[in-house]
């Protein structure tokens, strides 16, 4: 979602909290609180919004399918060497 430029709203119980501003991290699991957070995105300063999107995209790249597959192959090579 982040690589596509979407801004997630998460709870303190799940998700990657270190990537988001505090107003997008919920203490609650109530749907109405999530609705308020989603609406806050629409009212957010455009510069702040762009910065959040750019930062999330940069951080999400290292979790891409390609990078994950590359890391898996490297780990498997290391395991095979030790056998």
């Amino acid at each position: 979602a982040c690589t596509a430029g979407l801004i997630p709203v998460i709870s303190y119980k799940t998700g990657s909290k270190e990537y988001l501003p505090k107003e997008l991290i919920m203490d609650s699991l109530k749907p109405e609180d999530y609705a308020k957070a989603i609406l806050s995105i629409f009212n957010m300063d455009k510069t702040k919004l762009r910065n959040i999107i750019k930062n999330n995209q940069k951080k999400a790249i290292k979790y891409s399918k390609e990078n994950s597959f590359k890391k898996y192959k490297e780990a498997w090579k290391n395991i095979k060497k030790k056998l």
Side-chain angles (χ1 to χ4, degrees):
C2 290
T3 53
L6 301 175
I7 299 178
V9 175
I10 61 172
S11 79
Y12 277 104
K13 298 177 193 283
T14 62
S16 300
K17 296 166 269 309
E18 59 275 7
Y19 299 138
L20 296 174
K22 291 182 181 185
E23 64 263 25
L24 299 178
I25 305 171
M26 304 287 92
D27 279 328
S28 165
L29 296 176
K30 295 178 185 176
E32 55 271 12
D33 291 334
Y34 279 83
K36 288 177 189 174
I38 292 167
L39 290 173
S40 77
I41 293 170
F42 292 107
N43 296 321
M44 197 176 282
D45 173 70
K46 299 303 175 203
T47 302
K48 182 177 181 177
L49 190 61
R50 275 189 227 104
N51 288 335
I52 292 170
I53 291 169
K54 285 179 186 177
N55 287 335
N56 286 349
Q57 286 174 324
K58 285 179 189 174
K59 291 174 183 174
I61 287 172
K62 66 180 172 181
Y63 301 106
S64 71
K65 181 180 175 181
E66 293 81 16
N67 284 338
S68 296
F69 188 65
K70 182 180 174 182
K71 287 180 184 180
Y72 174 81
K73 284 173 57 176
E74 288 171 8
W76 186 243
K77 265 188 199 176
N78 289 333
I79 289 170
K80 285 174 43 177
K81 285 180 187 176
K82 293 178 182 181
L83 294 178

